[in-house]
Amino acid sequence: MMKDDFPNTFRNISRKAGLQIWTINSMKMVSVPTKAFGNFFQGDCYIVLNIRDHKGAAQSIDVHYWIGNSSSQDEQGAAAIYVTQLDEYLGGSPVQYREVQGYESPQFRSYFKNGIIYKTGGVASGFNHVDTNSYNVLRLMHVKGKKHVTAKEVEVSWNSFNNGDIFLLDTGKLIVQWNGPQSNRTEKLKAVLLAQDIRDRERGGRAQIGVVEGESERESPELMKVMTAVLGEKPNKLRDAIPDEKHDQSQSSSVRLYHVFENGGNLVVQEVATQPLTQDLLLSSDCYIVDHKGSSVMVWKGKRASKVERQEAMNRAMGYIKAKNYPPSTRVEVMSEGGESAMFKQLFKSWTEKGQTKGLGSTHSVGKIAKVDQVKFDVMELHARPELAAQQRMVDDASGDVTVWRIENLELVEVDPRTHGQFYGGDCYLVLYTYLRSNQKQYILYMWQGRHATKDEITACAYQAVTVDSKYHGAPVQVRVIMGKEPRHFLAIFKGKFIILEGGTGRAGAVNPESSTRLFQVRGTTEMNTKATEVPARASSLNSNDVFLLKTDRVCYLWYGKGCSGDERVMARTAGDVLFRQDKQVVMEGQEPANFWVALGGKSAYASDKRLHREDMIYSPRLFECSNQTGRFRMTEVYDFAQSDLDEDDVMLLDTWEELFLWVGKHANKSETTDTWTSAQEYLRSHPAGRDPDTPVIFIKQGYEPPTFTGWFNAWDPLKWNEENIYDEMKNKMRDEVDFISHITADLSHTGIGGDGYRAPGGPMSSPPPYRTQGLDFSPKSPTSPKAKFPPFPTSVGGGRYLDPELLVNKEASELPEGVDPSQREEHLSDMDFESLLGTNRADFQRLPKWRQNDLKKKAGLF
């Protein structure tokens, strides 16, 4: 398709980073104004384009088409066609997503941080998009969700309410938030943010918000008068709480890869492989479907696939969903080779970008030992740049204080500092690391579990960790460490002298079985990353890339593989001096004496490839809300996460691939907190990429976050947890706008709403009459009436007459109401509107110099 063949709408598409939205109107794409973003009419389809910039990399482009529950098949078809054309227009690089109302992907929801509003009607009903500063509104919205907030317009009636959710009654100038008695603090806060968003975007900031707590309505008499005026008398009993619909799928390790092609006009779906998938299965000449157990269907288009195959990718995905009898709401992603989504990559055992040499995460080739090159860094930068601390997995330079205990008879016994770093595979240890940050003591408590320790010892280790944690008032960050899977910082605190002895115990007086021959593999280039690990004393354990220590009855050999570096040899000598005091005989690979091979039981093949530089893989960090409320482990992903997504009532899991962080809010459910370790192990076990079950797990309490955690969040605020409860603070600011609310109530009462002759829709009177006042139609036939006319009417305040701001702001002198002096428009504003527009009260405004007054009036559109 030539550029000239694309719809004219495409020529106005911006290539700058940001969000752009269109709706389908008469089968054409019509741009949606920015102020209407987040509002979706249920009878329509939308196309959402999101472009993101990345430092040192190409832009990433995502195209979503959203399907309203009441939209027509024609509109859905038109949206799908436009998305395919848009993909081609943008060079085939976008990832395409199919979104269904109520089942949107976490990524889609992340674009609308304050929530999504489902509005009644659509193009067919003649809707007009948001008219900023218009008060022509009467609607009731049912708000649900903590992480992903949605608000659906419902019948303006008490019949729509229940005790477990939150409802927003929007009357134009006043938005009343009613909190169900069984709603929680996080839900209340999210609803307040949504109400503020409506006020700011749809009313230009000129509306008031009031909050009513359902269990204590008597504390908000004025607000209840407004609700009664609109809804009628509240019934004695409301419906019970409605359980949230669970669209988030529990993680499944079931992933299948299919080759999709046409043969004689028939769609052929041929299974290629099951999990764990590898990247080399994808051939550039073909198209594939990855089925994540029905929770999502992803289509991958090879660069050399035919044009027809690439264009039909979305249709083939829908055909596959239909053939599998999956629900129509199943999420669909379509992507091209080289433009894969982060979620797609995470379904593969390994994923590397072409030409990539560094990144986050690691993998090792089976049967081979890969090298890890420690990146040198400026220690001071770790404090100034937490993102560097996160990427290096280092909270500091490991110069803090170290205390080590061993579990003996299920109790803690402190280890002699002279033997710090020597860990026996038959033991469990607690290691407390203390360091300073901003002159405050910080703690990390490592729980090291030997491969041959008993279950009782492992249990005692966890129990004693709780005891130590309590001693320090819950401040330590807890890290589970499995023998052989030690994180970088753990190695660093032992200054190149970390040694793992395969069996036995370090307990005083214990007799360990002595072997005449012992072999240790030493890996590391500095004291920050070196460890010596005992391996089976046989030739097959050797590796040309490393240094080995071989101890026999008569001599200690220091074996240098051909691929080892000078730094590695120096560190091996340091470890060797800790293990064995006797002199070492240096042996170069290929020049071994006969006794060397005799000690190893004879010469045999071993890993002798060239240095195996690992290809670090880029895996984007992912944040999940963890829950076991339904009786099974579930996760809700938070896309494009920020610190504000860490709710005090939640347990969160942050997966950085090399490590797992479990963050526990101070108000988190006690049962969920207790089960977090099990949840982390379940997450690793069920991960479709076949994750290492011994991946380090780091347990963090709210308020004690180390830089290795905070560095994954943009603009972390260390004082956030010291602030007063945000929701209560917001509510207090909005509390008791008594004068204004009284006037709203008076205005509503003049309409006859709430009088003896009227009850709310669905109330005792079966056919309540329509009622009008000042041209205002409050007909109960619809939750929102598009035909209702709300003219800007004067509000009587304290005996005076004030004009609606709409009549004064950004108006030419000839457009002003009769009698209004263009240079004194502010005199016709109510006190509330005056402060809202000018940012100060009348008295303070009068004290300002004339030039400053004029400046404020210009900014407010009153000059």
Side-chain angles (χ1 to χ4, degrees), residues 754-781:
D756 293 336
Y758 170 72
R759 295 292 182 271
M765 288 183 64
S766 58
S767 302
Y771 36 84
R772 288 181 181 274
T773 250
Q774 302 180 38
L776 171 59
D777 182 2
F778 272 99
S779 174
K781 60 180 178 285

CSV table of all heavy atoms in Angstrom, one decimal, residues 754-781:
chain,number,residue,atom,x,y,z
A,754,GLY,N,-36.9,15.4,45.2
A,754,GLY,CA,-36.9,15.0,46.6
A,754,GLY,C,-38.2,15.4,47.3
A,754,GLY,O,-38.4,15.2,48.5
A,755,GLY,N,-39.1,16.1,46.6
A,755,GLY,CA,-40.4,16.5,47.1
A,755,GLY,C,-41.3,15.3,47.3
A,755,GLY,O,-41.1,14.2,46.9
A,756,ASP,N,-42.5,15.6,47.9
A,756,ASP,CA,-43.4,14.5,48.2
A,756,ASP,C,-44.0,13.8,47.0
A,756,ASP,O,-44.4,12.6,47.0
A,756,ASP,CB,-44.6,15.0,49.0
A,756,ASP,CG,-44.2,15.5,50.4
A,756,ASP,OD1,-43.2,15.0,50.9
A,756,ASP,OD2,-44.9,16.3,51.0
A,757,GLY,N,-44.0,14.5,45.8
A,757,GLY,CA,-44.6,13.9,44.6
A,757,GLY,C,-43.6,13.1,43.8
A,757,GLY,O,-43.9,12.7,42.8
A,758,TYR,N,-42.4,13.0,44.3
A,758,TYR,CA,-41.4,12.3,43.5
A,758,TYR,C,-40.5,11.3,44.3
A,758,TYR,O,-40.2,11.5,45.5
A,758,TYR,CB,-40.4,13.3,42.9
A,758,TYR,CG,-39.2,12.6,42.2
A,758,TYR,CD1,-39.4,11.9,41.0
A,758,TYR,CD2,-38.0,12.6,42.8
A,758,TYR,CE1,-38.4,11.2,40.4
A,758,TYR,CE2,-36.9,11.9,42.2
A,758,TYR,CZ,-37.1,11.3,41.0
A,758,TYR,OH,-36.1,10.6,40.4
A,759,ARG,N,-40.2,10.2,43.7
A,759,ARG,CA,-39.3,9.2,44.3
A,759,ARG,C,-38.3,8.9,43.3
A,759,ARG,O,-38.5,9.0,42.1
A,759,ARG,CB,-40.0,7.9,44.8
A,759,ARG,CG,-41.0,8.2,45.9
A,759,ARG,CD,-40.2,8.6,47.2
A,759,ARG,NE,-41.2,8.7,48.3
A,759,ARG,CZ,-41.8,9.9,48.6
A,759,ARG,NH1,-41.6,10.9,47.9
A,759,ARG,NH2,-42.6,9.9,49.6
A,760,ALA,N,-37.1,8.4,43.7
A,760,ALA,CA,-36.0,8.1,42.8
A,760,ALA,C,-36.5,7.0,41.8
A,760,ALA,O,-37.4,6.2,42.1
A,760,ALA,CB,-34.8,7.6,43.5
A,761,PRO,N,-35.9,6.9,40.6
A,761,PRO,CA,-36.3,5.8,39.7
A,761,PRO,C,-36.3,4.5,40.4
A,761,PRO,O,-35.3,4.1,41.0
A,761,PRO,CB,-35.3,6.0,38.6
A,761,PRO,CG,-34.8,7.4,38.7
A,761,PRO,CD,-34.9,7.7,40.1
A,762,GLY,N,-37.3,3.7,40.2
A,762,GLY,CA,-37.3,2.4,40.8
A,762,GLY,C,-37.8,2.4,42.2
A,762,GLY,O,-37.9,1.4,42.9
A,763,GLY,N,-38.2,3.6,42.7
A,763,GLY,CA,-38.7,3.7,44.1
A,763,GLY,C,-40.1,3.4,44.2
A,763,GLY,O,-40.7,2.8,43.3
A,764,PRO,N,-40.8,3.8,45.3
A,764,PRO,CA,-42.2,3.5,45.6
A,764,PRO,C,-43.1,3.9,44.5
A,764,PRO,O,-44.1,3.2,44.1
A,764,PRO,CB,-42.5,4.2,46.9
A,764,PRO,CG,-41.2,4.3,47.5
A,764,PRO,CD,-40.2,4.5,46.4
A,765,MET,N,-42.9,5.1,43.9
A,765,MET,CA,-43.8,5.5,42.8
A,765,MET,C,-43.4,4.9,41.5
A,765,MET,O,-42.2,5.1,41.1
A,765,MET,CB,-43.8,7.1,42.7
A,765,MET,CG,-44.6,7.8,43.8
A,765,MET,SD,-44.6,9.5,43.6
A,765,MET,CE,-45.6,9.6,42.1
A,766,SER,N,-44.2,4.2,40.9
A,766,SER,CA,-43.8,3.4,39.7
A,766,SER,C,-43.6,4.3,38.5
A,766,SER,O,-42.8,4.0,37.6
A,766,SER,CB,-44.9,2.3,39.3
A,766,SER,OG,-46.1,3.0,39.1
A,767,SER,N,-44.3,5.4,38.4
A,767,SER,CA,-44.1,6.3,37.2
A,767,SER,C,-43.9,7.7,37.6
A,767,SER,O,-44.7,8.6,37.5
A,767,SER,CB,-45.4,6.2,36.3
A,767,SER,OG,-45.6,4.9,35.9
A,768,PRO,N,-42.6,8.0,38.1
A,768,PRO,CA,-42.4,9.4,38.5
A,768,PRO,C,-42.4,10.3,37.3
A,768,PRO,O,-41.9,9.9,36.3
A,768,PRO,CB,-40.9,9.3,39.1
A,768,PRO,CG,-40.4,8.0,38.4
A,768,PRO,CD,-41.5,7.1,38.2
A,769,PRO,N,-43.0,11.5,37.5
A,769,PRO,CA,-43.1,12.4,36.4
A,769,PRO,C,-41.8,13.0,36.0
A,769,PRO,O,-40.9,13.2,36.9
A,769,PRO,CB,-44.1,13.4,36.9
A,769,PRO,CG,-43.8,13.5,38.4
A,769,PRO,CD,-43.5,12.1,38.7
A,770,PRO,N,-41.6,13.4,34.8
A,770,PRO,CA,-40.4,14.2,34.4
A,770,PRO,C,-40.6,15.5,35.1
A,770,PRO,O,-41.7,16.0,35.3
A,770,PRO,CB,-40.4,14.3,32.9
A,770,PRO,CG,-41.7,13.6,32.4
A,770,PRO,CD,-42.4,13.1,33.6
A,771,TYR,N,-39.5,16.2,35.4
A,771,TYR,CA,-39.6,17.5,36.0
A,771,TYR,C,-38.5,18.4,35.4
A,771,TYR,O,-37.5,18.0,34.9
A,771,TYR,CB,-39.3,17.4,37.5
A,771,TYR,CG,-38.2,16.4,37.8
A,771,TYR,CD1,-36.9,16.7,37.8
A,771,TYR,CD2,-38.6,15.1,38.2
A,771,TYR,CE1,-35.9,15.8,38.0
A,771,TYR,CE2,-37.6,14.1,38.4
A,771,TYR,CZ,-36.3,14.5,38.3
A,771,TYR,OH,-35.3,13.6,38.6
A,772,ARG,N,-38.9,19.7,35.4
A,772,ARG,CA,-38.0,20.7,34.7
A,772,ARG,C,-37.9,21.9,35.6
A,772,ARG,O,-38.8,22.3,36.4
A,772,ARG,CB,-38.6,21.2,33.4
A,772,ARG,CG,-38.6,20.2,32.3
A,772,ARG,CD,-39.2,20.7,31.0
A,772,ARG,NE,-39.2,19.7,30.0
A,772,ARG,CZ,-38.2,19.6,29.2
A,772,ARG,NH1,-37.1,20.3,29.3
A,772,ARG,NH2,-38.2,18.6,28.2
A,773,THR,N,-36.7,22.5,35.5
A,773,THR,CA,-36.5,23.8,36.2
A,773,THR,C,-35.4,24.5,35.4
A,773,THR,O,-34.4,23.9,35.1
A,773,THR,CB,-36.1,23.6,37.6
A,773,THR,OG1,-37.2,24.0,38.5
A,773,THR,CG2,-34.9,24.3,38.0
A,774,GLN,N,-35.7,25.8,35.1
A,774,GLN,CA,-34.8,26.6,34.3
A,774,GLN,C,-34.3,25.9,33.1
A,774,GLN,O,-33.1,25.9,32.7
A,774,GLN,CB,-33.5,27.0,35.2
A,774,GLN,CG,-34.0,27.7,36.5
A,774,GLN,CD,-32.8,28.1,37.3
A,774,GLN,OE1,-31.7,28.4,36.8
A,774,GLN,NE2,-32.9,28.0,38.6
A,775,GLY,N,-35.2,25.1,32.4
A,775,GLY,CA,-34.8,24.4,31.2
A,775,GLY,C,-34.1,23.1,31.5
A,775,GLY,O,-33.5,22.6,30.5
A,776,LEU,N,-34.0,22.7,32.7
A,776,LEU,CA,-33.2,21.5,33.1
A,776,LEU,C,-34.1,20.3,33.1
A,776,LEU,O,-35.1,20.2,33.9
A,776,LEU,CB,-32.6,21.7,34.4
A,776,LEU,CG,-31.9,20.6,35.1
A,776,LEU,CD1,-30.8,20.1,34.2
A,776,LEU,CD2,-31.3,21.0,36.4
A,777,ASP,N,-33.8,19.3,32.3
A,777,ASP,CA,-34.7,18.1,32.2
A,777,ASP,C,-34.0,16.9,33.0
A,777,ASP,O,-33.0,16.4,32.7
A,777,ASP,CB,-34.8,17.6,30.8
A,777,ASP,CG,-35.7,16.4,30.6
A,777,ASP,OD1,-36.2,15.9,31.7
A,777,ASP,OD2,-35.8,15.9,29.5
A,778,PHE,N,-34.6,16.6,34.2
A,778,PHE,CA,-34.1,15.6,35.1
A,778,PHE,C,-35.0,14.3,34.9
A,778,PHE,O,-35.3,13.6,35.8
A,778,PHE,CB,-34.2,15.9,36.5
A,778,PHE,CG,-33.0,16.7,37.1
A,778,PHE,CD1,-33.0,18.0,37.2
A,778,PHE,CD2,-31.9,16.0,37.4
A,778,PHE,CE1,-31.9,18.7,37.7
A,778,PHE,CE2,-30.8,16.7,37.9
A,778,PHE,CZ,-30.8,18.0,38.1
A,779,SER,N,-35.3,14.0,33.6
A,779,SER,CA,-36.1,12.8,33.4
A,779,SER,C,-35.5,11.5,33.8
A,779,SER,O,-34.3,11.3,33.5
A,779,SER,CB,-36.5,12.7,31.9
A,779,SER,OG,-37.2,11.5,31.7
A,780,PRO,N,-36.1,10.7,34.6
A,780,PRO,CA,-35.5,9.5,35.1
A,780,PRO,C,-35.4,8.4,34.1
A,780,PRO,O,-35.1,7.3,34.4
A,780,PRO,CB,-36.5,9.1,36.3
A,780,PRO,CG,-37.8,9.6,35.9
A,780,PRO,CD,-37.5,10.9,35.2
A,781,LYS,N,-35.7,8.6,32.9
A,781,LYS,CA,-35.8,7.5,31.9
A,781,LYS,C,-34.4,7.0,31.5
A,781,LYS,O,-34.2,6.0,31.0
A,781,LYS,CB,-36.5,8.0,30.6
A,781,LYS,CG,-35.8,9.2,29.9
A,781,LYS,CD,-36.5,9.6,28.7
A,781,LYS,CE,-35.9,10.8,28.0
A,781,LYS,NZ,-36.2,12.1,28.6
